[in-house]
Amino acid sequence: MVENSELRKAGLKVTLPRVKILQMLDSAEQRHMSAEDVYKALMEAGEDVGLATVYRVLTQFEAAGLVVRHNFDGGHAVFELADGGHHDHMVNVDTSEVIEFMDAEIERRQREIVAEHGYELVDHNLVLYVRKKK
């Protein structure tokens, strides 16, 4: 469970909208949520937080390192809590579902390829666009 101390550690004042949005991201079944998804979930929960506030708070959270923004092809931005663990993504092109995965062999090969070209890997983002087999 995300706590108010995380907002303070990130240098953000603890406000009701920030707490509610952080709790929503933490407790949502869906790990990757757009600002609109967060807004709709808050409305369904009876919370009075405006869409502009949701956008502003998510931008503040991103700047503070609390969330990661992803802009997958063909879609709008989605956010996920920054939990410190690395993973890659698959995006179902038919449903826009985002599937997380981690593969040690892919990670190893990326480091090898970078080294073979005389570089050091600083960061990477792997997104596979997929479709269910028929």
Side-chain angles (χ1 to χ4, degrees):
M1 177 72 175
V2 175
E3 298 188 19
N4 295 346
S5 62
E6 292 190 44
L7 289 172
R8 288 189 197 96
K9 280 192 285 185
L12 295 171
K13 184 177 170 188
V14 177
T15 64
L16 195 56
R18 286 180 180 149
V19 169
K20 291 193 179 305
I21 292 169
L22 199 55
Q23 288 173 339
M24 181 61 61
L25 288 169
D26 187 45
S27 64
E29 186 176 308
Q30 185 180 352
R31 183 160 156 81
H32 300 84
M33 298 179 76
S34 68
E36 293 83 4
D37 294 334
V38 173
Y39 174 72
K40 287 176 192 168
L42 288 167
M43 291 298 99
E44 289 171 6
E47 302 295 346
D48 186 25
V49 178
L51 182 57
T53 299
V54 172
Y55 275 105
R56 185 177 65 254
V57 168
L58 287 172
T59 300
Q60 292 167 346
F61 285 178
E62 180 186 15
L66 292 174
V67 300
V68 177
R69 176 193 307 251
H70 299 284
N71 292 299
F72 299 124
D73 287 352
H76 50 286
V78 293
F79 299 85
E80 69 175 311
L81 284 177
D83 59 10
H86 172 75
H87 58 267
D88 295 308
H89 296 95
M90 291 187 289
V91 178
N92 183 322
V93 296
D94 295 323
T95 66
S96 298
E97 176 189 12
V98 178
I99 303 113
E100 295 180 355
F101 72 97
M102 185 8 203
D103 185 287
E105 180 67 14
I106 290 174
E107 298 302 315
R108 184 185 66 73
R109 280 295 296 140
Q110 288 175 129
R111 288 188 301 275
E112 286 177 0
I113 291 166
V114 167
E116 288 168 7
H117 286 85
Y119 290 93
E120 172 185 357
L121 184 62
V122 176
D123 193 12
H124 80 278
N125 184 9
L126 175 64
V127 181
L128 304 174
Y129 295 93
V130 300
R131 175 176 284 132
K132 282 277 189 192
K133 289 183 178 180
K134 296 188 185 208

